[in-house]
Amino acid sequence: MISRILLGSLALPLLAVSLAASCGGNGGSSGSASSNATASGGSGGTGADPGVGGFIAAGGSGGGEPAVCDPPDVLVVLDRTLTMHKTPEGGTPNDGPDYKSSKWFQAITAIEQLVAPPLDKGIRFGVELWPKDPGGGACITLAERVLDTKQATNPTCQEGEVLISPGLDQGTAIQALLDPATTTLCTTTPTGNALLTAEQQLQEIAAAGREQYVVLVTDGADWDQSCPDPNPLPIAQALMKKGIKTYIVGFSATGDIQPGGVGAEFLNNMACAGGTAKGFPAPCTDDGNGNFTATDPTGTSLYLKAGNATELALALKSIGGKLCCNCGDTCDPPEILIALDRTLTMHKTPNGDTPADGPDYPSSKWYQAVTAIEKMVAPPRDTHARYGLELWPRDPGGETCITLAERVTNAKQATNPFCESGEIVVPPALGSGAAIQQYLDPATTRICISTPTGEALFTATDHLLKSITPGRDQYVVLVTDGADWDQSCPDPSPLPIVQQLAASGIRTFVVGFSAEGAIQPGGVGAAFLNDMACAGQTAKGFPAGCQEGPGGFVATDPNGEVLYLQASDATGLDKALSGVADGLCCDCVK
C-alpha cells in the first residue's frame, strides 16, 4: 500500500506532496495572495464555517463593497538550460520537427496558456529566461540540441535576462516572444544568478501595497555541479524576507529525483525558502532568523511537481488562480472524501440511548449521519466538488456486518474481522451525489464491529495519493462518534496519519457526532478530536489553539475549547457538513 511505504516510520517528520490550492486560497498556506479580492484563503477551518473558500468575483466582497486590489507582479523565471530538450521521462524526443514531447516545448506551451488573456488583466506577468543568451549563435535551438548538430558556446553561469518586465496585458507579448522552435537553449545552470536577476527586476518596479512573486520553472538539474555559486537557497530566503515569494515548479519525472541536491531535496528546501511549500509553514523549519528550509527534505514533495505536460499546465494554472486579482472565482473542483464511521456505536442516539422509533430509527446516529451526508452531496453541490465516500471498517460480505435494525433489536451479532481497512465505495468525482445517495440507505447499509480509525485514514491516504492532480485540492471529512478506537484498534494511531495527510497537502475535517462520544475519557472523546482537528489543520481558527510538534500539529490544550466540528444532534450535523461543503465549493459565491 502506498500509505504503508510513505508512513513506514510514523516517528519521523512527515511531509507534503506538491500541490497548490486550486480555488484561490487554501486556508492561508502556500503563499495565498492578499491582493485577491477579500483576502483569499481565509485562516483554515472554523467549525461550521471552514473559511477555506476562494476569492469572490470582481464587484463584490461578500459585504456589498466592490472588490478592489492591485494586480501582483508575477515574474515567470524559465529554465532554458540544455537538459530541457529531453522528455519529462528523461528520453530524447523523436517527434520532430516540433518535438512536442520535449520539456522545452511543453514548458513554453504551459507558460503561454498561463499568461493568456484575460488572466493577464488580473496579474502583471513578466518573463525571464536563464541563463542569458548573449547572441551571435552562442545558444542553440531545440532542434539543434536534439539532433546534436551544434553545441552551445555561451559563457558559463551568466545571469538571467528579463525579456518582458511584469505588467498588465502582457500575455500576448509573452506568447509572441516565446517559440519552442526558435527560443534558444543555453549551457550551464546558474539558478542562483537567475534569482538575483529576478530580485533586481522586481525591486526596480516595486510599488507600495503590491505583492510580488517569482515562479521558477525548472527541471532542477546540475546547478550545483555547473554553477554552485551563488547558492539559490539563501537567495530565495532573502527574497522571502523582502516580501517576494517564490513558487517552485519542478518539471521532470527523472530530474526531480536526481541525487546531489539537484532534485527533490533541493526543490523541497526551495519551496520552504520561498514561502510557498504546501501547508507552509507546517512542513518547514525556521532557523530563528526567518530562513525556512524543509524539515525533512527527503519527504514527499512540497514544491509543484509536474511529470508531464498536463500536470505542468495544471500546476501553473493553480498559481494563476491563486494570485489573480479581481478575477472570477474559477477553480478546479476539489476532491472531498467523506470517511463515514460505520461502527456499532453508531446505532445509538446522539445522547447515548438505544433508539425506540423503529422500524427506521430516525433518532439513531446512523440514520442521521447517512441522511446528512446525502444532503451534503446532493446536486448541485456535486457539480462544484468531487465528492467520494469511504465506509469503515470494510464490510467483507457474507452478512458478517449487520443492519441497523439487527443492531438495535440485538437480533444478530456482527462477526466481521476486527480492525480491517476502510473501503472506497464511491471514488471522488464530479456528479457523484446520486451515486452516494443510492449507495447509502440507513436500513440496508450495514454497520460493523471494531473501530479502526487509523486503518480508515490509511485507506483514505492510499486513494487520495493515487489520484493526485496538480492544482486540485484534496480533503478528508472524517465523520465519527469517536468511540473506542484506542480500545478495539489502537494500532495504527489515527493522529500521525492525519498529520501526514496534512503535510501531504490533504487536510482533514473532523466531525465529532455524539454528545456522549465527544466527552468519553481515554483519548476517544473531545481531547482526541481536538488533537485530530489540529493535526488536520482545520481546527477552529487554525493555527490558533494548536501547537506544532515533531510530527505535526496537535491541540495546545486538548481539554480546552472545542476545535473540531461538533454535532450533538441531526441539525448540528447538517450544519457542520453544510459548512464544509459551502466553504470548499468551487465557483460558488462565498
Side-chain angles (χ1 to χ4, degrees):
M1 294 169 60
I2 290 178
S3 58
R4 301 293 188 185
I5 297 172
L6 290 178
L7 304 176
S9 176
L10 293 175
L12 295 175
L14 305 170
L15 297 176
V17 295
S18 59
L19 298 178
S22 61
C23 292
N26 62 355
S29 67
S30 194
S32 179
S34 63
S35 63
N36 270 330
T38 68
S40 71
S43 59
T46 57
D49 180 14
V52 292
F55 46 83
I56 297 174
S61 61
E65 296 297 325
V68 176
C69 63
D70 190 6
D73 295 324
V74 176
L75 183 60
V76 180
V77 180
L78 175 58
D79 181 346
R80 73 190 307 169
T81 58
L82 296 181
T83 54
M84 291 292 285
H85 83 285
K86 292 186 177 181
T87 68
E89 296 76 25
T92 298
N94 56 11
D95 52 348
D98 295 331
Y99 302 107
K100 293 181 180 180
S101 65
S102 68
K103 288 182 285 186
W104 188 236
F105 186 101
Q106 294 175 11
I108 285 179
T109 300
I111 289 169
E112 289 177 333
Q113 293 171 351
L114 170 67
V115 303
L119 196 64
D120 63 345
K121 295 184 181 297
I123 295 177
R124 290 178 164 89
F125 283 116
V127 66
E128 172 192 339
L129 300 181
W130 57 279
K132 177 181 178 181
D133 182 350
C139 293
I140 59 178
T141 66
L142 173 61
E144 288 171 336
R145 172 62 174 164
V146 172
L147 300 174
D148 198 25
T149 58
K150 185 179 178 181
Q151 304 301 309
T153 58
N154 58 287
T156 59
C157 304
Q158 284 199 301
E159 69 275 12
E161 54 181 332
V162 178
L163 299 177
I164 295 181
S165 181
L168 292 177
D169 300 311
Q170 296 280 43
T172 301
I174 293 173
Q175 290 172 328
L177 172 76
L178 297 176
D179 184 333
T182 59
T183 306
T184 53
L185 300 169
C186 308
T187 192
T188 70
T189 310
T191 313
N193 278 328
L195 290 173
L196 288 176
T197 299
E199 177 184 12
Q200 179 180 357
Q201 175 64 34
L202 290 173
Q203 289 196 313
E204 287 178 358
I205 64 171
R210 180 184 302 162
E211 294 187 347
Q212 295 186 308
Y213 299 87
V214 171
V215 178
L216 182 70
V217 181
T218 179
D219 64 358
D222 89 347
W223 69 268
D224 57 340
Q225 300 173 41
S226 66
C227 301
D229 186 32
N231 187 326
L233 185 63
I235 301 172
Q237 292 168 333
L239 285 168
M240 173 69 168
K241 290 181 182 179
K242 294 176 180 178
I244 302 171
K245 294 182 180 180
T246 302
Y247 283 95
I248 306 298
V249 184
F251 182 35
S252 171
T254 56
D256 60 14
I257 58 172
Q258 289 187 28
V262 302
E265 294 181 37
F266 163 64
L267 298 176
N268 276 340
N269 278 327
M270 287 286 285
C272 283
T276 61
K278 186 62 180 177
F280 182 85
C284 307
T285 298
D286 184 349
D287 68 358
N289 296 310
N291 299 311
F292 288 91
T293 54
T295 305
D296 179 9
T298 63
T300 48
S301 303
L302 302 177
Y303 57 95
L304 288 160
K305 181 178 179 180
N308 56 50
T310 299
E311 291 178 357
L312 180 62
L314 286 169
L316 293 177
K317 179 181 177 182
S318 74
I319 297 173
K322 180 184 294 295
L323 301 183
C324 186
C325 174
N326 289 332
C327 289
D329 189 358
T330 299
C331 62
D332 187 7
E335 292 182 1
I336 302 174
L337 181 60
I338 302 166
L340 174 59
D341 180 345
R342 71 189 308 169
T343 58
L344 295 182
T345 54
M346 291 292 283
H347 82 286
K348 292 186 177 182
T349 67
N351 58 11
D353 296 330
T354 298
D357 50 352
D360 295 331
Y361 304 106
S363 65
S364 68
K365 289 182 285 186
W366 185 240
Y367 185 102
Q368 294 174 11
V370 166
T371 303
I373 289 170
E374 289 177 331
K375 293 179 183 177
M376 177 189 186
V377 303
R381 276 184 177 151
D382 65 343
T383 63
H384 298 281
R386 292 176 165 87
Y387 288 108
L389 178 65
E390 174 192 349
L391 298 180
W392 57 277
R394 182 177 72 89
D395 180 353
E399 297 187 354
T400 56
C401 294
I402 58 178
T403 66
L404 173 61
E406 288 171 336
R407 173 62 174 165
V408 172
T409 62
N410 201 26
K412 185 178 179 181
Q413 304 302 308
T415 59
N416 60 286
F418 268 59
C419 305
E420 286 205 298
S421 60
E423 56 181 328
I424 308 295
V425 295
V426 178
L430 289 176
S432 62
I436 293 174
Q437 291 173 327
Q438 184 176 6
Y439 190 92
L440 290 175
D441 184 331
T444 60
T445 307
R446 296 173 180 268
I447 54 179
C448 310
I449 197 169
S450 77
T451 310
T453 312
E455 289 289 353
L457 291 165
F458 267 133
T459 299
T461 302
D462 284 341
H463 183 83
L464 292 173
L465 290 182
K466 288 175 183 176
S467 66
I468 284 172
T469 298
R472 180 180 301 163
D473 282 340
Q474 295 178 305
Y475 301 89
V476 174
V477 179
L478 182 70
V479 182
T480 179
D481 64 359
D484 90 345
W485 70 268
D486 58 340
Q487 300 171 42
S488 68
C489 301
D491 185 30
S493 170
L495 184 64
I497 304 173
V498 172
Q499 290 172 328
Q500 162 65 14
L501 281 166
S504 298
I506 303 169
R507 289 183 295 160
T508 301
F509 288 93
V510 179
V511 184
F513 182 37
S514 171
E516 178 197 44
I519 59 173
Q520 287 188 29
V524 301
F528 163 65
L529 297 176
N530 275 340
D531 276 337
M532 289 278 282
C534 285
Q537 299 185 14
T538 61
K540 181 179 180 180
F542 181 83
C546 306
Q547 61 182 357
E548 190 173 7
F553 284 95
V554 293
T556 304
D557 179 8
N559 296 304
E561 68 170 302
V562 173
L563 301 175
Y564 58 94
L565 291 162
Q566 185 181 45
S568 59
D569 55 28
T571 300
L573 184 60
D574 280 341
K575 182 179 180 181
L577 293 180
S578 293
V580 173
D582 293 342
L584 300 181
C585 185
C586 176
D587 287 332
C588 296
V589 176
K590 305 268 172 71

